[in-house]
Amino acid sequence: MNRKLRMGMIGGGLDAFIGAIHRLAANMDGKIELVCGALSINEEIAIKSGKALFLNEDRIYKNYEEMLEKEAALPADQRMDFVTIVTPNFAHFAPAMKALEKGFHVVIEKPITLSLEEAKQLKAKVEETGLILCLTHTYTGYPMVKEAKDLIAKGELGKIRKVFVEYRQGWLSRLSEREGNAGAAWRTDAKKSGKSGVMGDIGTHAFNLAEYISGLQVSELCADLNVVVDGRALDDDGAVLLRFNNGASGVLMATQVAAGEENNLSIRIYGEQGGIEWQQQEPNTLLVKWYDKPMEVRRAGQGYLSAIAKQNTRTPGGHPEGYLEAFANLYRNFTQTLAARMEGGSVDASVVEFPSVNEGIRGMAFIENVVRSNESGEKWVSYTI
């Protein structure tokens, strides 16, 4: 295209963490410009945030309804091309549905909605409109995650037998939601976060990563959820036994009360011939362990990597790439896909890809099945959507 794609944003004002992350990621390749926003449910913060980001005052909106109505009424050469939704979980569904109804493509934070039923309705609307939806499961954007996925897809490990995925945080080790921490407050409120705390917030990331890299789907699960911190309303710790559709088994652990841990997401997958190991806190390294030969250490930025890993690598080997770059890869792949669509073309989806509404459906089903299993006397439950 001979211009930047025009982005609007719902949520993500100056008092929010994730909005700034999205803006940095979207700006990284110089292909996107933020042209409008309804940046907070607090009108004063919304206006102040828009001015701080140098938006035109007539495109700083007080709420998302006003924004979507007025943007849709603008001439095609002025209105936004897509909207990014970075609100808390309970405020995902309504703006996403309205955006699609008004003809706008959508980038949305995970989990995709507050419930599985909402996610199904959103999928139906995406299919009805033919518009593009990108779900920001950030960790799928790392080049060495792509490399692991490609290695398994090519069958180099043989049939997959075992999956271990862990996501350990410690930031909710205290009752932070009652100490003025706004992020903790909504994440531990079922009306705003959903049926599960830890599994909705970070367990969905671990689940998505396990399915994404392995290429498998969970068919059954057995879950145990815990409220560790006295006085907390939602689970802050849990473990899930997994069975996959090829017969493999797995274990998923997610906790936000592992005091001293920061953002420790790790995954190990084993097949007949060997296994892989990747950690988010050392993201440029992928360990490949073989049954009958020495372990390999594969590194980002090297010429021997797969095409999909190279597509998502930004710097030469030895230059650290991290969370922001992984996030930016989602935006780059989304915008390449959208730009090609707008010009009547297409991209090679085998290397230019990103999570969609389908991953959103599976993530919401994961949360609901985990809660159902936890509440069941039988424990093992069939995975239903």
Side-chain angles (χ1 to χ4, degrees), residues 17 31 50 145 153 159 177 184 216 225 277 293 324 359 372 383:
F17 150 71
K31 304 292 186 181
V145 166
K159 181 182 177 181
E177 58 266 41
L216 304 174
L225 301 178
E277 181 175 346
K293 56 184 177 181
L324 287 176
E359 286 79 6
R372 183 163 64 94
Y383 195 87

Side-chain angles (χ1 to χ4, degrees), residues 267-325:
I267 186 166
R268 292 167 289 151
I269 299 178
Y270 299 95
E272 297 166 319
Q273 304 301 323
I276 62 95
E277 181 175 346
W278 180 82
Q279 297 188 52
Q280 199 266 157
Q281 293 187 167
E282 180 55 45
N284 287 347
T285 298
L286 176 69
L287 301 181
V288 186
K289 303 174 181 181
W290 299 108
Y291 175 75
D292 55 1
K293 56 184 177 181
M295 182 179 72
E296 295 178 18
V297 180
R298 300 191 186 185
R299 294 280 292 165
Q302 301 302 320
Y304 52 72
L305 297 179
S306 62
I308 192 171
K310 290 177 180 176
Q311 161 71 17
N312 292 276
T313 300
R314 295 169 173 276
T315 58
H319 295 77
E321 294 195 37
Y323 179 74
L324 287 176
E325 289 83 358

Side-chain angles (χ1 to χ4, degrees), residues 87-97 108-122 135 186-197 199-201 204 234 360-361 363-368 371:
T87 51
N89 302 358
F90 74 97
H92 286 181
F93 175 70
M97 284 290 282
I108 190 168
E109 261 296 324
K110 48 60 56 192
I112 194 167
T113 52
L114 195 64
S115 70
L116 177 57
E117 181 55 38
E118 286 182 348
K120 290 179 178 179
Q121 292 179 47
L122 200 58
L135 179 68
W186 74 257
R187 283 177 173 84
T188 56
D189 181 348
K191 292 180 180 179
K192 296 181 178 180
S193 182
K195 291 184 177 182
S196 172
M199 289 298 167
D201 191 21
T204 47
L234 279 178
I361 289 276
M364 292 311 305
F366 169 73
I367 295 169
E368 298 206 359
V371 172

Side-chain angles (χ1 to χ4, degrees), residues 17-18 110 138-139 165-174 176 181 183-184 186-188 197-206 228-229 232 235-238 253-266 280-281 323:
F17 150 71
I18 202 64
K110 48 60 56 192
T138 317
Y139 306 108
V165 60
E166 298 181 357
Y167 203 148
R168 303 186 299 276
Q169 294 180 339
W171 73 290
L172 290 181
S173 294
R174 297 175 181 173
S176 304
N181 187 320
W186 74 257
R187 283 177 173 84
T188 56
V198 68
M199 289 298 167
D201 191 21
I202 62 174
T204 47
H205 273 307
V228 174
V229 176
R232 180 156 290 150
D235 54 276
D236 49 23
D237 173 78
M253 188 275 284
T255 184
Q256 292 175 308
V257 294
E261 293 284 2
E262 294 177 341
N263 203 59
N264 198 345
L265 171 62
S266 63
Q280 199 266 157
Q281 293 187 167
Y323 179 74

Side-chain angles (χ1 to χ4, degrees), residues 9-13 16 18-19 22 84-88 92 107-109 331:
M9 181 169 280
I10 297 173
I18 202 64
H22 277 264
T84 291
I85 299 171
V86 291
T87 51
H92 286 181
V107 175
I108 190 168
E109 261 296 324
Y331 269 99

Side-chain angles (χ1 to χ4, degrees), residues 108 112 132-137 208 354-361:
I108 190 168
I112 194 167
I132 301 171
L133 183 145
C134 171
L135 179 68
T136 54
H137 270 300
N208 173 257
F354 49 86
S356 71
V357 69
N358 294 321
E359 286 79 6
I361 289 276

